[in-house]
Amino acid sequence: IEGFKGRAADFSVPLKQAGVMMLSSIKKNFRSGGRPLPWKPLALSTLKYKIRKGLSLLPLTGRTGLLQNSIVPSTSANRLTLGTSIRYAAIHQYGGNAGRNRSAKIPQRKYLLFQPEDVRRINKLIIDHLLKKEN
């Protein structure tokens, strides 16, 4: 029972594993252009610009993949946080008005999103951690 109490007090190992899983899932969100439903399509002006520059036509993908690659996990004994320090990240996650006059309407395109299979896999990590046999 002492081992169980210790494991119940410190979830850092399964949370670190969950962070790696979530990064993989988030990358799938970007590659597929949104999951489980596709993100709202790009505006015609944005599509024209991307075609002219030879860029990917998927939303939230630029030349460098900066937004996607900036997402990092942070863990403690009982918390997993995924996020980015890029200023424009929130407007894409939540949607809203942007630009100098706040006249550009940016649609919500959730890229930090748990999929049902992510929840099942993370639950299994937590249960396995709690039930781990002592050596």
Side-chain angles (χ1 to χ4, degrees):
I1 192 99
E2 285 304 313
F4 180 84
K5 283 183 182 178
R7 288 188 301 278
D10 183 0
F11 288 95
S12 58
V13 171
L15 290 176
K16 284 179 185 174
Q17 294 169 329
V20 171
M21 282 182 184
M22 286 309 303
L23 285 178
S24 175
S25 182
I26 289 166
K27 288 186 186 295
K28 286 179 187 175
N29 294 343
F30 279 90
R31 282 193 307 269
S32 64
R35 295 184 309 149
L37 299 173
W39 292 324
K40 192 164 189 171
L42 294 171
L44 183 58
S45 59
T46 304
L47 281 172
K48 286 179 181 178
Y49 171 82
K50 287 184 143 208
I51 289 169
R52 205 171 47 249
K53 296 291 184 177
L55 301 173
S56 167
L57 300 182
L58 285 173
L60 304 185
T61 57
R63 290 182 299 275
T64 64
L66 182 62
L67 176 58
Q68 175 181 229
N69 294 324
S70 71
I71 300 165
V72 294
S74 175
T75 58
S76 67
N78 60 6
R79 181 178 296 205
L80 166 64
T81 306
L82 291 154
T84 175
S85 61
I86 293 183
R87 287 183 58 196
Y88 62 81
I91 194 75
H92 292 295
Q93 176 74 12
Y94 301 110
N97 295 321
R100 283 192 190 115
N101 301 327
R102 313 237 345 124
S103 60
K105 176 82 170 126
I106 307 294
Q108 181 181 48
R109 294 186 176 109
K110 288 187 177 185
Y111 53 88
L112 296 176
L113 183 65
F114 281 100
Q115 303 297 327
E117 65 267 18
D118 299 327
V119 174
R120 285 190 295 276
R121 290 171 65 200
I122 291 169
N123 283 341
K124 183 177 180 339
L125 283 174
I126 300 295
I127 291 167
D128 289 351
H129 170 74
L130 288 171
L131 300 178
K132 183 170 70 174
K133 299 236 193 260
E134 296 302 314
N135 293 337

